[in-house]
Amino acid sequence: MANAKKQLEISDEVAIQITKMNKWFGSFHVLRDIDLTVQRGERIVVAGPSGSGKSTLIRCINALEEHQEGLITVDGTVLSSDLKNIDTIRSEVGMCFQHFNLFPHLTILENCMLAPIWVRKVPQKEALETAMHFLEKVKIPEQANKYPGQLSGGQQQRVAIARSLCMKPRIMLFDEPTSALDPEMIKEVLDTMVTLAEDGMTMIVVTHEMGFAREVANRVIFMDEGQIIEQNEPEAFFDNPQNERTKLFLSQILGH
Amino acid sequence: MVDQSFVRTEIVPEKSAPLSEAGIVGWFKKNMFSDIPNTILTGVVLYIIFMVLGNILPWVFSPTWNSVSLTECRSILAEIGRDGHGNGGACWGVIRERWLQLMFGFYPSELYWRPVLSFLLLGVALAPVLFDRVSRKILFFTAVYPFICFWLIWGGSIWFPVSVFTGFIISYFGFVIGSKSAGSLAGVLAAMALPIIWWFVLLSPVNSALNSIIPLGSEAIDSDRLGGFMLAILIGVTGIALSLPIGILLALGRQSDLPILKGVCVCFIEFIRGVPLITLLFVASTLLNVFLPPGSNFDLILRVMIMVTLFASAYMAEVIRGGLAALPKGQYEAADSLGLDYWKAQRLIILPQALKISIPGIVSTFIGLFKDTTLVSIIGLLDPLGLSTNIRADMAWNGILWELYGFVALIFFIFCFSMSRYSMYLERKLATGH
Ligand SMILES: Nc1ncnc2c1ncn2[C@@H]1O[C@H](COP(=O)(O)OP(=O)(O)OP(=O)(O)O)[C@@H](O)[C@H]1O
Ligand SMILES: [Mg+2]
């Protein structure tokens, strides 16, 4: 992992632009004045205590949640309630969930081929090749014809990553991809994500894996109570946090 | 201290299980005589089974197959020393004489081949739906089958079912041409408007024209000659085939975010579930005439089919809603995040899983529906139960009860049990280890 990020470059092109974004669940103000610009090629880790709105933030980016105020622009497409834009954005942005959310009634291969065939209208044969390519990339081509229920958690999460990649997204969102996994499986998933980063994928990762943040991220964002409290390069963030809440959070999470 | 370190030097070879565990003796010992209460229970149950069979079997095996009346049965039984009809033995002559009637009602006997053929073709039409090893190409036949079946059973001019079917083809082409030339909304409108114009305006003149040019058809059979299991199967299969798709739509509507659609679906489901089927059947047989234009001749069987279908759809919707609710939210989110739109997500991700979870409930509804077809005897249709009453009114067979109802029950049981077994087969087949 250690030398992974040195040679990774970040372009000037803006991938995601969030300005003055606010979101409420009923009367509960979950996200407050979020401003965030993500350059293409950036690897951003979002950290923060439970309930701080990390998941909600990245779910707003691909419109799994709708925001009430502010602007989200993904790859130049403005996210509005207009369904057409939602579809464009969702096909550009891949997402991996904490609980994998594979489709249990389909084989691994079918899981990977479904969206390219039905959304991108890719021919069957080409979809199959793409799926096998990415399954090899996440190192489980031999499981292609099994069902998700027959795989270990780590394997399932790697399939979920491959499934997203089959849509050839330009941005990947990860919502605590390793927190439902046993320790020995966390590494295989993190390794897959490192490979992705090395290929230049723009990534936003919500995670408690601070090692990953240190090694792979170029920026760490700390959230609390629906706000971005602090963001910095990993070295500065971990070694020299400024805000009291950040210090408290880091001491809790790294303390033991 | 005792030394607890241990290193295995040779692997213990696999041995076959002792006879007490594996063989038949082992099975009996383990499952029936494992301890004293268990042994007593086994004895009691065996005694009850023995008593029941001891009473039923002599009744069933009674040499009365060729009798022509109940009186003859009684004398046959008296001759062989049994104590008369009732306890002594069954009077099977009634089944021999009337079983065709129980099957076909008052359908002309020289035309029995028509319902028999349509029943056999039903098997062909269902095969690709029930078993996925059967070629998909037969699905085309499945789509045409309802029209063939209608024509085989009711007869009459062949142009009527053909032209009704043409309406669906017109609808399809309307959709294709409409959406090509003026967008998908125009396509949907054309697909709905064109066949309605065809069916209600053009159909009857075209029909009579075709009939006068090429009079092709078979002997028409009046609806009131239909009866028996043929009628039960007709109503049951129609209800089953239509209630599933309607139920799915209702369940999706009930889950929808659109308040009006949701309200309509909830009202429909709750109203239908809150009313006994009998009431709906009475509405079908009497009240519906009030709403129909005077003089219109809307077949009673058709009306009953509609009511039974609506009734089953409401239950089906609730069963499927249970399946939908059982799916984790993550499945919807994963489908959304991959860019699948609502209908694709439903068709490819949500419904396959929700329906699979709901299989036991769906099949229960099917079985319930099929058995409920016997209720149509109350509004005067001659289903197997209605016919049984009819047969018992015959002087020769007056007094017969168990034989007729037992026979009807047996046939119903065969159908319902097959459905139940099929659903278990389906569940096993769809299991993917999660
Ligand atoms: N659908 C919802 N309706 C109402 N409130 C919600 C909903 N989803 C989340 N919340 C609330 O919004 C807040 C932020 O939730 P979110 O899931 O974004 O937190 P998080 O930072 O991801 O926490 P965790 O680390 O536990 O995943 C929480 O207080 C949560 O209770
Ligand atoms: Mg979360």
Side-chain angles (χ1 to χ4, degrees):
Chain A
M1 262 194 215
N3 48 11
K5 76 175 177 191
K6 300 293 179 285
Q7 61 274 50
L8 297 179
E9 50 186 88
I10 294 160
S11 82
D12 292 337
E13 198 187 333
V14 174
I16 302 172
Q17 171 101 50
I18 302 177
T19 36
K20 285 262 174 255
M21 195 253 282
N22 280 280
K23 168 161 183 65
W24 288 262
F25 280 124
S27 60
F28 174 49
H29 197 172
V30 226
L31 293 178
R32 312 180 194 176
D33 283 348
I34 303 285
D35 281 304
L36 180 66
T37 308
V38 181
Q39 240 79 321
R40 186 161 304 293
E42 274 201 282
R43 286 107 24 221
I44 295 182
V45 161
V46 182
S50 182
S52 55
K54 310 178 294 289
S55 301
T56 312
L57 171 63
I58 68 167
R59 289 156 60 85
C60 281
I61 295 175
N62 69 348
L64 283 184
E65 303 283 358
E66 52 182 313
H67 58 284
Q68 281 84 33
E69 269 180 19
L71 216 60
I72 300 180
T73 316
V74 180
D75 262 339
T77 315
V78 178
L79 189 57
S80 60
S81 49
D82 183 349
L83 278 176
K84 201 155 193 107
N85 284 355
I86 289 186
D87 286 345
T88 328
I89 286 176
R90 281 181 181 161
S91 57
E92 293 294 323
V93 180
M95 181 153 190
C96 287
F97 301 86
Q98 181 176 4
H99 296 288
F100 332 131
N101 297 355
L102 293 177
F103 305 131
H105 63 302
L106 301 176
T107 63
I108 301 306
L109 201 55
E110 288 165 343
N111 263 279
C112 294
M113 290 166 62
L114 182 120
I117 288 176
W118 290 94
V119 180
R120 289 231 194 271
K121 312 268 183 255
V122 172
Q124 184 95 13
K125 188 161 159 286
E126 195 185 323
L128 180 74
E129 281 163 12
T130 317
M132 283 317 289
H133 169 76
F134 284 112
L135 285 177
E136 264 155 41
K137 193 153 188 113
V138 302
K139 303 203 175 64
I140 32 176
E142 71 281 359
Q143 314 282 4
N145 291 314
K146 290 195 183 166
Y147 285 96
Q150 299 165 319
L151 266 54
S152 76
Q155 291 173 325
Q156 289 192 43
Q157 190 61 292
R158 284 184 284 151
V159 172
I161 295 175
R163 179 178 71 178
S164 300
L165 293 178
C166 285
M167 286 293 281
K168 309 264 172 74
R170 307 185 68 186
I171 299 165
M172 284 287 290
L173 308 173
F174 293 86
D175 191 359
E176 309 206 21
T178 56
S179 58
L181 297 178
D182 291 338
E184 69 264 34
M185 296 170 192
I186 291 180
K187 185 172 177 303
E188 60 187 56
V189 172
L190 290 182
D191 283 348
T192 310
M193 291 167 64
V194 171
T195 327
L196 255 188
E198 285 167 351
D199 290 348
M201 178 66 77
T202 311
M203 296 162 63
I204 303 185
V205 185
V206 176
T207 184
H208 296 296
E209 294 295 327
M210 290 305 142
F212 177 82
R214 221 180 242 280
E215 303 303 341
V216 182
N218 68 301
R219 184 145 56 118
V220 179
I221 292 179
F222 176 70
M223 286 186 71
D224 196 6
E225 294 186 6
Q227 304 152 65
I228 295 181
I229 302 287
E230 189 166 345
Q231 50 175 316
N232 213 333
E233 296 186 342
E235 288 81 14
F237 179 84
F238 288 112
D239 302 337
N240 189 17
Q242 301 297 316
N243 191 297
E244 285 309 314
R245 297 189 195 203
T246 320
K247 287 180 194 165
L248 181 67
F249 175 74
L250 284 177
S251 72
Q252 279 168 347
I253 199 167
L254 300 172
H256 42 265
Chain B
M1 228 180 87
V2 188
D3 185 8
Q4 296 207 327
S5 73
F6 167 77
V7 178
R8 183 170 290 288
T9 50
E10 44 185 315
I11 301 303
V12 181
E14 190 179 342
K15 283 180 275 191
S16 54
L19 218 58
S20 63
E21 272 301 305
I24 296 179
V25 180
W27 186 88
F28 271 103
K29 213 172 154 195
K30 196 161 138 202
N31 292 300
M32 302 181 92
F33 304 105
S34 62
D35 54 14
I36 291 172
N38 198 340
T39 309
I40 294 174
L41 217 59
T42 304
V44 171
V45 171
L46 281 180
Y47 178 72
I48 293 175
I49 293 176
F50 175 78
M51 289 300 288
V52 170
L53 286 185
N55 277 303
I56 286 183
L57 288 183
W59 182 83
V60 171
F61 292 100
S62 128
T64 47
W65 185 249
N66 289 317
S67 61
V68 293
S69 71
L70 184 55
T71 333
E72 197 191 337
C73 279
R74 287 212 173 92
S75 59
I76 292 175
L77 288 170
E79 230 166 80
I80 60 167
R82 304 246 192 114
D83 57 350
H85 176 251
N87 296 330
C91 182
W92 292 121
V94 65
I95 305 296
R96 177 192 53 79
E97 193 185 286
R98 298 299 184 98
W99 73 275
L100 280 169
Q101 197 178 35
L102 282 170
M103 291 296 160
F104 299 105
F106 294 101
Y107 208 84
S109 55
E110 70 280 8
L111 294 178
Y112 278 168
W113 64 271
R114 279 167 36 175
V116 168
L117 180 62
S118 43
F119 186 69
L120 294 178
L121 289 179
L122 174 67
V124 179
L126 282 182
V129 180
L130 296 182
F131 305 102
D132 53 19
R133 257 175 300 163
V134 180
S135 162
R136 300 282 102 186
K137 287 185 190 115
I138 304 178
L139 276 175
F140 175 75
F141 178 74
T142 310
V144 196
Y145 175 76
F147 303 93
I148 298 177
C149 173
F150 171 83
W151 183 64
L152 274 175
I153 288 188
W154 273 276
S157 159
I158 195 167
W159 298 115
F160 180 67
V162 167
S163 52
V164 171
F165 182 69
T166 310
F168 288 100
I169 297 180
I170 290 177
S171 166
Y172 173 75
F173 281 107
F175 177 75
V176 172
I177 295 169
S179 50
K180 276 250 172 64
S181 54
S184 62
L185 183 66
V188 173
L189 286 180
M192 294 200 298
L194 290 180
I196 288 177
I197 297 174
W198 167 256
W199 283 325
F200 289 97
V201 183
L202 298 175
L203 192 124
S204 59
V206 170
N207 251 335
S208 42
L210 279 171
N211 274 334
S212 53
I213 303 167
I214 321 169
L216 215 54
S218 58
E219 190 183 329
I221 308 295
D222 231 22
S223 269
D224 51 16
R225 308 195 66 172
L226 266 51
F229 278 101
M230 180 176 78
L231 183 65
I233 293 173
L234 264 178
I235 298 175
V237 170
T238 314
I240 285 173
L242 294 179
S243 67
L244 186 62
I246 299 178
I248 290 175
L249 291 179
L250 284 171
L252 292 180
R254 191 167 186 167
Q255 287 222 321
S256 152
D257 295 331
L258 309 170
I260 296 181
L261 179 64
K262 182 176 174 160
V264 169
C265 290
V266 172
C267 288
F268 177 85
I269 293 171
E270 296 303 337
F271 173 75
I272 298 276
R273 288 205 309 162
V275 175
L277 179 55
I278 303 269
T279 319
L280 293 178
L281 291 178
F282 277 123
V283 169
S285 75
T286 57
L287 226 63
L288 220 56
N289 280 335
V290 179
F291 299 106
L292 292 171
S296 66
N297 176 24
F298 196 44
D299 196 279
L300 179 60
I301 293 183
L302 197 59
R303 284 186 257 163
V304 165
M305 281 175 174
I306 293 174
M307 283 305 179
V308 169
T309 303
L310 292 183
F311 187 75
S313 306
Y315 281 89
M316 194 60 72
E318 287 300 281
V319 167
I320 292 168
R321 189 167 69 96
L324 290 172
L327 279 199
K329 210 167 128 240
Q331 292 293 311
Y332 293 86
E333 291 178 350
D336 282 348
S337 74
L338 287 170
L340 294 165
D341 63 31
Y342 177 82
W343 287 109
K344 280 182 193 145
Q346 291 296 343
R347 184 154 67 91
L348 301 167
I349 310 297
I350 307 301
L351 284 176
Q353 295 184 63
L355 291 180
K356 185 186 136 191
I357 302 174
S358 323
I359 288 174
I362 292 176
V363 175
S364 292
T365 312
F366 283 169
I367 290 176
L369 181 156
F370 187 54
K371 291 188 298 183
D372 280 352
T373 57
T374 50
L375 289 175
V376 301
S377 60
I378 291 181
I379 56 167
L381 290 182
L382 290 174
D383 85 304
L385 285 192
L387 275 173
S388 304
T389 320
N390 237 8
I391 294 170
R392 291 196 302 126
D394 185 331
M395 278 306 289
W397 304 113
N398 196 338
I400 292 228
L401 213 61
W402 287 93
E403 293 81 348
L404 279 172
Y405 291 128
F407 178 73
V408 172
L410 179 71
I411 305 274
F412 267 109
F413 178 79
I414 291 173
F415 277 105
C416 297
F417 188 64
S418 321
M419 283 195 252
S420 154
R421 296 310 297 191
Y422 175 76
S423 91
M424 287 163 86
Y425 153 82
L426 199 61
E427 275 180 75
R428 264 199 312 279
K429 196 185 77 177
L430 294 179
T432 55
H434 57 273

